[in-house]
Amino acid sequence: MKIEENKELKALNTFGIEAKAKNYVRIDSFEDAQAFFKQKEYEEPILILGGGSNILLTEDFNGTVINNHIKGIEGIEENDKSITLKVGAGENWHEFVLHCIEQGYAGIENLSLIPGKVGASPMQNIGAYGVEVKEVITEVECLRLADAEKMIFTNEECQFDYRSSIFKTTHKGQYFITSVSFKLNKKPTFKVSYGAIQAQLLANGVDQDHLSIKAISDAVIQIRQSKLPDPKEIGNSGSFFKNPIVSKEKFLSLKKRFKDMPAYELPQGGYKLAAGWLIEKAGWKGYTERNYGVHKKQALVLVNYGGASGNEIYNLSERILQSIIQKFGVELEREVNVV
Ligand SMILES: Cc1cc2nc3c(=O)[nH]c(=O)nc-3n(C[C@H](O)[C@H](O)[C@H](O)COP(=O)(O)OP(=O)(O)OC[C@H]3O[C@@H](n4cnc5c(N)ncnc54)[C@H](O)[C@@H]3O)c2cc1C
């Protein structure tokens, strides 16, 4: 493995932030990864990078960036109803989704067009349009950074939650994910309860009798392309904040003041509010300063129109966060990993 020095990271993060890594290494196989972590001949700290679509770089990285390129899709269990696939952490997520659709394997079609790599999917339990990846993950294979031991975490052990898992909480920074296993259905149950999906299917002329995982994927792709900025054109990391969860009392007092406030009652108690709605209501939608700001169509997405620094974007996120506390008494949490 070749360690590159002074590596430019602009093309490796979807925010398009200009930053350099003191050292950079690309890892292509489990064996290479194990040898690399065993030999410990790298400079710390380390930053594990997938597709760079959920990070905000606020400065040059004064350590080693390790970019995961471990590929491969392998069937490990199959019967009439389902198939379990073990997928290299360096596979592109959306290409994997398309592969499953082509093969007729259902379960992740609603997660079409999410940027990034398979290895990051369990990190924050990626989710969209009524589906979370925790519903299909059976296990996550990792290397423990401390001793390069191979470790397997079952679905339960990952403690998946809304945009969270042990890899983002208790075990943060301790593991290098090498592969993820997914159990997919050969007999699909379609998840189309989201109004936007129903409307798009209708517009595409797809009725109940012609519903398919391909039709759902196509609809999700169309919706996402119409309202989210393409990182190839405008730098961004998708939703910058998580949707906040508040108590029933808090929800009721807000609902009295803001009659049109959307909210979702959680089965375990509490209410999930729409962070994008709060930010828009506070007047931030479309806000632009110099060459960065808040996206015109989606207030939850902070954007870099070119040349903004990570610190400028971070400071804007802090101002938004404070204004939401002031206006609604609700504290937003960043979804993006700030480095
Ligand atoms: C336009 C856009 C839309 C998006 N829409 C959604 C959405 O609908 N739903 C959603 O959930 N997310 C969404 N995201 C966020 C992002 O795409 C996902 O979180 C994705 O899973 C990140 O993958 P990545 O490979 O780019 O991770 P990176 O950004 O490279 O890394 C993210 C974090 O995971 C860690 N990490 C990455 N790979 C590994 C590994 N192999 N082992 C250990 N740690 C690792 C990194 O250190 C970092 O902390 C969106 C982003 C964009 C730009």
Side-chain angles (χ1 to χ4, degrees), residues 14 47-55 68 89 113-121 123-128 163 175-178 224 228-231 236-239 335 337:
T14 60
L47 168 64
I48 299 168
L49 198 60
S53 64
N54 203 15
I55 57 163
N68 193 324
L113 213 61
I114 295 182
K117 295 187 180 175
V118 165
S121 63
M123 290 291 301
Q124 71 157 9
N125 176 26
I126 56 168
R163 297 297 179 275
Y175 294 91
F176 180 76
I177 296 170
T178 48
R224 295 183 71 99
L228 285 172
D230 179 351
N236 76 92
S237 258
S239 305
E335 181 178 315
N337 300 281

Side-chain angles (χ1 to χ4, degrees), residues 1-233:
M1 280 156 291
K2 191 172 138 250
I3 294 196
E4 292 176 53
E5 285 176 17
N6 236 1
K7 173 87 172 175
E8 179 53 70
L9 299 174
K10 188 179 172 193
L12 300 177
N13 73 96
T14 60
F15 249 125
I17 301 292
E18 285 183 29
K20 284 199 166 80
K22 189 171 181 198
N23 300 298
Y24 169 90
V25 65
R26 171 188 157 131
I27 288 197
D28 288 278
S29 70
F30 177 88
E31 293 70 28
D32 280 359
Q34 196 160 36
F36 181 79
F37 289 115
K38 216 166 231 161
Q39 284 158 9
K40 282 203 177 294
E41 282 167 2
Y42 52 86
E43 219 173 308
E44 299 207 55
I46 62 162
L47 168 64
I48 299 168
L49 198 60
S53 64
N54 203 15
I55 57 163
L56 176 66
L57 298 165
T58 54
E59 54 189 9
D60 287 341
F61 193 75
N62 199 21
T64 308
V65 168
I66 302 166
N67 202 347
N68 193 324
H69 281 259
I70 301 174
K71 293 284 171 68
I73 301 178
E74 185 195 346
I76 51 173
E77 216 178 294
E78 186 168 6
N79 58 38
D80 290 351
K81 289 190 197 138
S82 67
I83 183 160
T84 303
L85 300 175
K86 180 178 172 185
V87 186
E91 288 284 349
N92 175 279
W93 173 260
H94 181 60
E95 281 169 21
F96 169 56
V97 173
L98 293 182
H99 166 83
C100 291
I101 289 165
E102 214 172 278
Q103 302 295 319
Y105 304 151
I108 50 176
E109 54 281 0
N110 294 48
L111 304 179
S112 295
L113 213 61
I114 295 182
K117 295 187 180 175
V118 165
S121 63
M123 290 291 301
Q124 71 157 9
N125 176 26
I126 56 168
Y129 300 101
V131 171
E132 288 183 322
V133 76
K134 71 172 185 186
E135 292 160 40
V136 290
I137 288 181
T138 55
E139 55 185 43
V140 178
E141 180 196 84
C142 309
L143 285 168
R144 186 164 55 199
L145 299 181
D147 55 7
E149 270 306 301
K150 175 171 145 178
M151 307 280 294
I152 307 272
F153 289 90
T154 62
N155 179 300
E156 206 176 34
E157 287 166 345
C158 291
Q159 292 177 27
F160 290 120
D161 204 343
Y162 165 61
R163 297 297 179 275
S164 178
S165 72
I166 51 164
F167 304 110
K168 237 189 147 174
T169 54
T170 50
H171 293 43
K172 189 175 172 173
Q174 295 174 28
Y175 294 91
F176 180 76
I177 296 170
T178 48
S179 74
V180 184
S181 296
F182 303 88
K183 187 175 181 184
L184 301 154
N185 293 316
K186 292 185 177 173
K187 297 179 178 141
T189 324
F190 302 121
K191 301 220 169 119
V192 290
S193 60
Y194 259 61
I197 297 193
Q198 286 176 11
Q200 192 62 51
L201 287 169
L202 196 68
N204 293 351
V206 179
D207 60 25
Q208 198 63 34
D209 296 339
H210 296 92
L211 206 50
S212 66
I213 54 174
K214 168 90 168 63
I216 293 175
S217 170
D218 287 346
V220 168
I221 290 171
Q222 284 169 290
I223 300 166
R224 295 183 71 99
Q225 283 174 338
S226 72
K227 63 174 210 181
L228 285 172
D230 179 351
K232 287 194 194 95
E233 286 157 21

